Amino acid sequence: MPGNNYCPSPTTPRTRLERLLRDRELRKSSRVSTPSEEIGDTLSEADFFSQDSILSCQLSDEQQDFEGLLEGSPPQDVRPRKQRLLVVANRLPVSATRMADDAWHLEISVGGLVSALLGVKEFDARWIGWAGVHVPDESGQKALTEALAKKRCIPVFLDEDTVHQYYNGYCNNVLWPLFHYLGLPQEDRLSTTRSFQSQFDAYKRANHMFADVVNEHYEEGDVVWCHDYHLMFLPKCLKEHNSKMKVGWFLHTPFPSSEIHRMLPSRSDLLRSVLAADLVGFHTYDYARHFVSACTRILGLEGTPEGVEDQGRLTRVAAFPIGIDSDRFIRALELPKVKESMKDLKERFAGRKLMLGVDRLDMIKGIPQKILAFEAFLEENPQWREKVVLLQIAVPTRTDVPEYQKLTSQVHEIVGRINGKFGTLTSVPIHHLDRSLDFTALCALYAVTDVALVTSLRDGMNLVSYEFVACQAAKKGVLILSEFAGAAQSLGAGALLVNPWNISDVATSIRYALNMSEDEREKRFHHNFMHVTTHTSQEWAATFVSELNDTVVEAQLRTRQVLPVLPIDTAVSRYTCSHNRLLILGFNGSLTEPVDSSGRRGGQIRELEPRLNPELKEPLKKLCGDEKTTVIVLSGSDRSVLDNNFEEFNMWLAAENGMFLRLTSGDWMTTMPENLNMDWVDSVKHVFEYFTERTPRSHFELRETSLVWNYKYAGKQAFPYLLDFIPPLFSLPS
Ligand SMILES: O=P(O)(O)OC[C@H]1O[C@H](O[C@H]2O[C@H](CO)[C@@H](O)[C@H](O)[C@H]2O)[C@H](O)[C@@H](O)[C@@H]1O
Ligand SMILES: O=c1ccn([C@@H]2O[C@H](COP(=O)(O)OP(=O)(O)O)[C@@H](O)[C@H]2O)c(=O)[nH]1
């Protein structure tokens, strides 16, 4: 369900849930079909040129459709003013190519993020991003800025070195593989783009450049929605410039387990800057949970069902599974051009079942694994060899990154080998295309496919699987889907889920899919079709933005409830005037040496016995020597600890939380009842020992009147143990 807390919790405010449902209903009932939403009624080529004479464009149908989506219909007086939305993503929805000094060719960019955001129509949206091209001269920048403005796009101009270090380097060679569990680059991969540090510097520089453009175009009340791993530094830059800006950040990739994230040298910087946003969104609960646990374990912050808290400030964290504009795909199937393509494809592959893969040529998509599984299937099922064909569309991507170049050769080599092995004079089993298809060609392919094969090793969501389902109302084909794609959580019930690393498992699923009964296909399809058509990209965006608006309002309310900060000047002047003062000081954490969140003091693991911070000795001596002031140290520690630390001062000591009292010049007194029953200690001690052994960095102390298990430095991994731990304590005899 979109906008749910990262952790489904019974404490979710009922009002939030109700608001979500109400908003959803309102959106449904107020939805008006604009001209651009009617079938085929997109801008014509002539309209396009008349609007934009300096553009040299050959518009495909897909681009015409895109035109309609980007420009929308002008706001009319009767309609309420739409909220302004600044969508900030690394890539604009168009890539630009320079045709002449002042002439630019604009083409829609391929990728899930662009497809999803094209569906966002409810806002007065503007896009801010990189146009995918280096423009060194001012006149070229001016011409491109004007051309893009007509498409409601605002460019960020990045120089070549920044692109190399930031985009090819830090984003695609460091963050991308790490977030998809492929590890960090080894030295040989790093050396091509220099060190982590210089890449990270370029990353921050680039994020500042994005921030400058946002700040320039921002108007009060705008919502700023930052996207993806390219812009993790952006929320912080924006909030530092204007703390009132409403900032949301959404990650389109997985967020890995904190065990993976902690490998990153810049792990804390990135988490902290993302936390500057008001709302942080992920595709699935798992990714959100991983993010929260990275913040608790690495930064030592507090995780709650609502998000992450840092000194009273909450960053809301929630799951917002993306969708597609399913209507756009369903309507496209009625277009004559799509019908014609479907007819061609059916004729070309007559007598054979068609299996389809559509992926960017990226290592996370598991293309080699998919092809090897298809080979295993052909090997084990000779009767199918002449009756099935795998069509793999592999869209070239990030071609400047050496890993991607290697992958291309690897895939070509495998395809060549298998086609050589199973091909005949008249046909080959694998049709592999290193290119992208336009929207209409893609829809036709989806519609005639019998089995779609998605074998991502990790994938934030995977919209191809959604698009395939949207186009299958007639055929009701089967979706084989990797359990490591975010989509497996929403389409899992209708798809055949596979582990792409298990080649024989995938091969078995291929056989099962090809032989599946019509009845089963129909049931599975129905389930997924319902999901895809009700969880759309419009719904996704509207929910995120409405949550962001609400989060900001709630944060303002919360700020008013926060206790006011002590007015230091007033406190000091009252202190100076008074003649009889009582100062009650804590010990652990107040007067002890500073330790970091993992319990290290100056890089060393802390000693078990707390020690007075040497820097406080002098001021404390002065305080204790002041006859107008009585000082008490009140601590949970036992008497010997206080003796060892405060013997030399003239003060009161209260050990074990007041069980024992002493003026340092006198003897210890006790407030303990004479017949205090301590029989429970032995049995509880065993329980404490058991959990201490199993919880690194926790320790337990046996005091005179209490037993303490201290898990303060153990990190949040102690919590599962705590849950086991508390019930046995309650069952102890009192
Ligand atoms: O812009 P590129 O570097 O060429 O890469 C294309 C996009 O790839 C990634 O897409 C992700 O977003 C999809 C939609 O949420 C999701 O379904 C998919 O699983 C992700 O891989 C990337 O996150 C985008 O920023 C890129 O633009
Ligand atoms: O030839 C192609 C192949 C893919 N796509 C689009 O690229 C997107 C891929 O998104 P997905 O979420 O599956 O993965 P990503 O590439 O973003 O990692 C989908 O919307 C496809 O329709 C396209 O327009 N043309």
Side-chain angles (χ1 to χ4, degrees):
M1 202 198 302
N4 278 348
N5 289 351
Y6 80 90
C7 155
S9 148
T11 61
T12 304
R14 201 175 139 71
T15 45
R16 168 166 283 138
L17 197 62
E18 283 168 350
R19 225 174 23 233
L20 268 176
L21 295 172
R22 183 205 60 205
D23 289 353
R24 185 175 285 200
E25 281 315 304
L26 274 178
R27 275 198 297 276
K28 271 189 205 145
S29 59
S30 66
R31 205 152 174 244
V32 209
S33 176
T34 61
S36 64
E37 287 177 311
E38 299 305 329
I39 296 172
D41 189 11
T42 51
L43 284 185
S44 69
E45 217 163 305
D47 291 338
F48 189 81
F49 281 108
S50 68
Q51 284 176 35
D52 194 352
S53 54
I54 61 162
L55 276 179
S56 147
C57 283
Q58 264 119 45
L59 274 181
S60 61
D61 288 349
E62 167 202 34
Q63 283 172 296
Q64 290 178 29
D65 196 16
F66 155 70
E67 283 304 301
L69 291 171
L70 269 186
E71 290 172 4
S73 46
Q76 291 167 12
D77 292 345
V78 282
R79 292 190 198 171
R81 190 172 165 266
K82 289 178 177 177
Q83 181 166 31
R84 266 176 50 115
L85 173 66
L86 300 183
V87 172
V88 198
N90 170 62
R91 210 177 258 287
L92 286 174
V94 282
S95 300
T97 315
R98 198 167 196 163
M99 308 308 281
D101 272 359
D102 286 343
W104 288 92
H105 173 78
L106 299 182
E107 204 170 82
I108 187 166
S109 321
V110 171
L113 187 147
V114 168
S115 308
L117 288 170
L118 284 178
V120 177
K121 297 173 207 155
E122 292 193 26
F123 303 93
D124 180 7
R126 278 152 187 81
W127 296 65
I128 294 175
W130 174 54
V133 62
H134 176 49
V135 194
D137 57 310
E138 238 176 69
S139 75
Q141 292 193 358
K142 189 166 171 278
L144 181 56
T145 305
E146 283 168 8
L148 288 169
K150 296 187 174 113
K151 314 287 164 255
R152 308 174 77 80
C153 291
I154 302 162
V156 176
F157 292 106
L158 302 173
D159 60 82
E160 264 173 336
D161 185 56
T162 304
V163 169
H164 188 51
Q165 298 262 1
Y166 144 78
Y167 179 67
N168 295 332
Y170 201 74
C171 291
N172 291 335
N173 202 21
V174 176
L175 290 182
W176 178 264
L178 190 78
F179 281 10
H180 291 87
Y181 293 77
L182 297 175
L184 283 173
Q186 305 296 315
E187 271 310 303
D188 62 326
R189 255 170 74 196
L190 253 188
S191 59
T192 55
T193 40
R194 285 181 247 146
S195 69
F196 270 121
Q197 193 51 49
S198 73
Q199 290 183 7
F200 187 52
D201 290 344
Y203 181 84
K204 288 194 277 188
R205 204 166 55 242
N207 275 241
H208 276 292
M209 290 159 97
F210 278 83
D212 290 344
V213 179
V214 175
N215 293 334
E216 193 188 319
H217 290 85
Y218 174 81
E219 287 176 14
E220 205 182 321
D222 286 359
V223 164
V224 182
W225 191 2
C226 314
H227 288 267
D228 238 357
Y229 59 97
H230 313 92
L231 300 177
M232 293 177 84
F233 219 70
L234 186 56
K236 181 164 172 263
C237 301
L238 295 174
K239 285 285 192 176
E240 275 173 0
H241 178 82
N242 179 354
S243 61
K244 294 215 176 86
M245 204 183 266
K246 281 180 200 168
V247 178
W249 181 80
F250 186 87
L251 183 68
H252 290 263
T253 68
F255 192 90
S257 144
S258 60
E259 285 301 310
I260 297 283
H261 183 78
R262 65 193 270 235
M263 290 160 67
L264 196 59
S266 45
R267 60 196 186 181
S268 304
D269 281 355
L270 287 180
L271 292 176
R272 286 206 180 278
S273 26
V274 166
L275 286 173
D278 299 291
L279 175 63
V280 172
F282 299 89
H283 283 311
T284 71
Y285 285 129
D286 286 343
Y287 306 159
R289 192 167 49 79
H290 290 157
F291 175 79
V292 173
S293 90
C295 293
T296 58
R297 288 183 178 188
I298 295 168
L299 303 179
L301 300 178
E302 192 67 29
T304 75
E306 295 269 307
V308 178
E309 247 181 67
D310 184 8
Q311 299 182 350
R313 181 184 178 271
L314 173 80
T315 305
R316 203 165 127 58
V317 178
F320 299 87
I322 205 169
I324 59 163
D325 183 358
S326 49
D327 287 353
R328 179 168 169 246
F329 285 85
I330 294 166
R331 289 196 315 257
L333 299 180
E334 299 303 320
L335 295 174
K337 194 170 172 195
V338 175
K339 287 187 167 167
E340 218 169 283
S341 275
M342 286 170 61
K343 193 167 155 273
D344 283 353
L345 287 165
K346 279 181 191 159
E347 279 167 17
R348 190 163 327 144
F349 296 113
R352 290 178 136 198
K353 293 274 185 192
L354 180 59
M355 296 186 53
L356 176 68
V358 177
D359 308 272
R360 276 180 309 104
L361 189 43
D362 193 307
M363 34 282 178
I364 67 147
K365 301 290 179 181
I367 298 174
Q369 285 79 355
K370 174 177 349 195
I371 299 172
L372 291 176
F374 186 63
E375 178 188 26
F377 165 74
L378 294 179
E379 197 79 69
E380 289 160 18
N381 300 277
Q383 72 283 13
W384 273 103
R385 285 182 196 165
E386 296 285 310
K387 295 187 191 142
V388 63
V389 60
L390 171 63
L391 179 49
Q392 175 65 45
I393 311 295
V395 182
T397 183
R398 306 171 193 176
T399 44
D400 291 337
V401 181
E403 287 299 296
Y404 288 77
Q405 295 160 1
K406 274 190 223 150
L407 177 69
T408 313
S409 336
Q410 188 196 4
V411 169
H412 287 177
E413 194 269 322
I414 306 176
V415 170
R417 184 175 57 71
I418 298 173
N419 277 345
K421 190 160 147 195
F422 295 108
T424 63
L425 279 178
T426 49
S427 72
V428 286
I430 305 177
H431 289 242
H432 178 89
L433 302 187
D434 272 339
R435 50 160 294 191
S436 64
L437 298 182
D438 69 18
F439 178 64
T440 49
L442 206 54
C443 289
L445 249 187
Y446 284 142
V448 299
T449 293
D450 294 281
V451 177
L453 199 43
V454 176
T455 51
S456 311
L457 305 180
R458 295 275 166 182
D459 214 336
M461 179 56 84
N462 191 279
L463 295 182
V464 162
S465 44
Y466 274 59
E467 295 167 2
F468 167 70
V469 170
C471 293
Q472 282 280 318
K475 196 153 186 122
K476 300 182 178 59
V478 184
L479 173 64
I480 298 181
L481 178 59
S482 163
E483 62 190 61
F484 298 113
Q489 305 206 2
S490 40
L491 304 182
L496 295 179
L497 291 187
V498 289
N499 171 2
W501 294 101
N502 186 340
I503 303 286
S504 66
D505 176 31
V506 181
T508 308
S509 296
I510 294 176
R511 193 184 54 226
Y512 188 82
L514 289 170
N515 291 312
M516 192 183 282
S517 70
E518 202 179 328
D519 187 41
E520 183 175 349
R521 278 195 286 119
E522 227 175 282
K523 278 192 191 124
R524 286 177 178 271
F525 165 77
H526 184 70
H527 185 281
N528 283 348
F529 190 72
M530 283 300 288
H531 184 89
V532 167
T533 48
T534 48
H535 295 75
T536 60
S537 50
Q538 292 93 312
E539 202 53 62
W540 166 74
T543 311
F544 186 93
V545 175
S546 114
E547 283 281 301
L548 178 53
N549 281 320
D550 290 349
T551 301
V552 172
V553 172
E554 283 166 13
Q556 284 160 353
L557 292 174
R558 206 176 302 117
T559 316
R560 278 184 222 131
Q561 292 159 6
V562 167
L563 293 177
V565 178
L566 178 75
I568 294 181
D569 290 347
T570 319
V572 170
S573 84
R574 299 256 173 99
Y575 179 90
T576 320
C577 296
S578 72
H579 296 281
N580 193 8
R581 311 164 189 136
L582 174 64
L583 288 185
I584 302 175
L585 307 175
F587 178 36
N588 260 305
S590 311
L591 300 178
T592 46
E593 287 181 281
V595 288
D596 67 19
S597 60
S598 59
R600 280 165 199 268
R601 184 182 282 148
Q604 302 293 313
I605 300 279
R606 65 185 281 284
E607 300 137 41
L608 281 188
E609 183 167 316
R611 260 195 338 181
L612 174 66
N613 183 347
E615 286 179 24
L616 295 179
K617 275 194 178 176
E618 274 317 303
L620 197 55
K621 215 162 230 162
K622 271 196 187 153
L623 274 180
C624 295
D626 178 357
E627 57 184 21
K628 292 182 195 165
T629 311
T630 304
V631 179
I632 301 182
V633 169
L634 171 61
S635 169
S637 298
D638 60 23
R639 293 190 271 182
S640 63
V641 173
L642 298 190
D643 284 342
N644 293 343
N645 281 285
F646 299 103
E647 191 66 55
E648 59 188 288
F649 301 93
N650 173 26
M651 58 164 60
W652 280 90
L653 300 176
E656 301 208 21
N657 296 313
M659 256 331 176
F660 301 102
L661 272 176
R662 171 195 176 201
L663 187 60
T664 39
S665 55
D667 291 331
W668 282 105
M669 302 172 274
T670 183
T671 58
M672 184 164 68
E674 251 171 47
N675 53 357
L676 184 68
N677 181 353
M678 298 293 285
D679 294 350
W680 51 273
V681 169
D682 267 354
S683 48
V684 174
K685 205 174 119 198
H686 293 308
V687 180
F688 276 54
E689 278 168 351
Y690 179 90
F691 285 99
T692 304
E693 275 165 24
R694 285 157 183 78
T695 312
R697 296 205 295 267
S698 76
H699 61 273
F700 98 93
E701 292 163 43
L702 178 57
R703 296 177 184 162
E704 287 175 80
T705 58
S706 57
L707 259 182
V708 177
W709 183 49
N710 191 329
Y711 58 88
K712 188 153 108 191
Y713 302 112
K716 299 294 188 260
Q717 64 266 41
F719 284 136
Y721 287 125
L722 271 177
L723 293 177
D724 286 344
F725 184 43
I726 289 162
L729 279 185
F730 282 123
S731 59
L732 288 168
S734 55

